[in-house]
Amino acid sequence: MTRTRPAPAASKSRVAYEWIRERITSGAFGPGYHLVLTALATQLGMSVVPVREAISRLTAEGLVTFEPNVGASVSMVDPDRYIHAMEVITVLESAATALSTPHLTRRDLAHARELNAAMRGGLSDFDFRHFSALNQEFHHTLYSGCPNPRLLEMVDAEWSRLGHMRDSIFGFVPHRPRESVCEHDDLLDLIEGGGTSDRIEQAVRRHRTGSLDAFRTHKTHGAHGPHRSDRVDQGA
């Protein structure tokens, strides 16, 4: 009878890392969520050692904050870090979308329209995390055809590094989702109308900059936490 060998510690650490990271980026473990190593180890069916290694890796990535005598918790939203990351993403994604455009199919554009319609349909009963996920898929659909693999890798890497802060703009600025949906329509009209790569790149950059400006305004004048209303401001 063959006995199954236990998974090596490195594999368990990777499993723990991916499991915890997925819950942070999906919002299941929100900002400030206390990460109790023993509880996580029990849920994962492993010892505390690989979980501790996973937490160390997530801390190095900025997704987790560790404080002596307090422990580990999901990092709070750092406005400056979010702004700096989005400035980089704005430049990279704009270029990637422009390069991707000639390679987009009718199916790609139809899918983008469907996603934007779903985003518009969710405005009256707003869930900012779901809206953010649809928004992410919308933009990924438009830039994923970029023929430059290095540029595509950089865009995806920056979004991944942003982690759980990806939905910050829609959680904090209640008027921005409605504006964003309308700008998506304009962008798709431009692409389908044969707009030049320069115009498309500029349109994406204006769109992303609009979100950044809204977030900067919130940072200066707004509240301290994400917008929790079930409905988007209908007057925006």
Side-chain angles (χ1 to χ4, degrees):
M1 180 177 178
T2 303
R3 180 175 297 177
T4 302
R5 295 181 179 180
S11 297
K12 289 184 178 181
S13 175
R14 184 171 62 252
V15 168
Y17 165 81
E18 293 175 352
W19 187 86
I20 297 169
R21 193 180 194 285
E22 189 279 329
R23 278 152 181 77
I24 292 174
T25 57
S26 69
F29 292 170
Y33 183 90
H34 191 46
L35 298 166
V36 181
L37 270 61
T38 52
L40 293 173
T42 299
Q43 286 182 271
L44 287 161
M46 59 180 65
S47 71
V48 171
V49 174
V51 175
R52 184 179 294 112
E53 292 172 353
I55 293 296
S56 295
R57 183 175 172 184
L58 290 164
T59 300
E61 293 179 2
L63 291 177
V64 170
T65 300
F66 183 83
E67 297 182 47
N69 303 319
V70 176
S73 60
V74 178
S75 297
M76 301 297 287
V77 173
D78 180 337
D80 289 333
R81 182 182 167 213
Y82 177 78
I83 289 171
H84 294 159
M86 286 305 303
E87 287 174 339
V88 173
I89 287 171
T90 294
V91 174
L92 296 177
E93 189 180 291
S94 299
T97 303
L99 291 173
S100 173
T101 298
H103 306 279
L104 294 175
T105 65
R106 290 183 179 180
R107 179 176 294 182
D108 292 330
L109 294 173
H111 182 53
R113 289 281 187 191
E114 291 171 359
L115 289 168
N116 204 42
M119 293 169 72
R120 178 173 280 109
L123 290 173
S124 60
D125 187 15
F126 194 62
D127 178 336
F128 72 86
R129 288 197 175 94
H130 180 60
F131 188 93
S132 181
L134 291 173
N135 183 66
Q136 190 75 13
E137 187 177 352
F138 172 88
H139 284 286
H140 186 268
T141 298
L142 296 185
Y143 75 70
S144 61
C146 176
N148 185 323
R150 177 58 179 152
L151 179 56
L152 194 58
E153 177 185 332
M154 291 169 69
V155 178
D156 288 338
E158 286 300 319
W159 275 118
S160 179
R161 287 178 62 186
L162 202 55
H164 70 287
M165 291 192 290
R166 287 179 299 186
D167 57 10
S168 293
I169 182 62
F170 299 122
F172 283 98
V173 186
H175 69 271
R176 185 56 189 161
R178 187 173 300 280
E179 295 175 349
S180 186
V181 167
C182 293
E183 290 168 10
H184 288 173
D185 282 334
D186 292 341
L187 177 58
L188 289 172
D189 288 344
L190 178 61
I191 293 172
E192 292 175 340
T196 64
S197 60
D198 285 345
R199 289 185 64 197
I200 291 167
E201 182 171 355
Q202 290 168 9
V204 177
R205 186 169 294 200
R206 283 195 302 271
H207 172 61
R208 287 298 188 193
T209 300
S211 295
L212 259 177
D213 288 345
F215 188 81
R216 286 191 180 99
T217 299
H218 160 80
K219 180 188 175 189
T220 303
H221 305 291
H224 298 290
H227 179 68
R228 297 295 181 184
S229 172
D230 291 331
R231 299 176 67 88
V232 175
D233 181 2
Q234 297 299 308

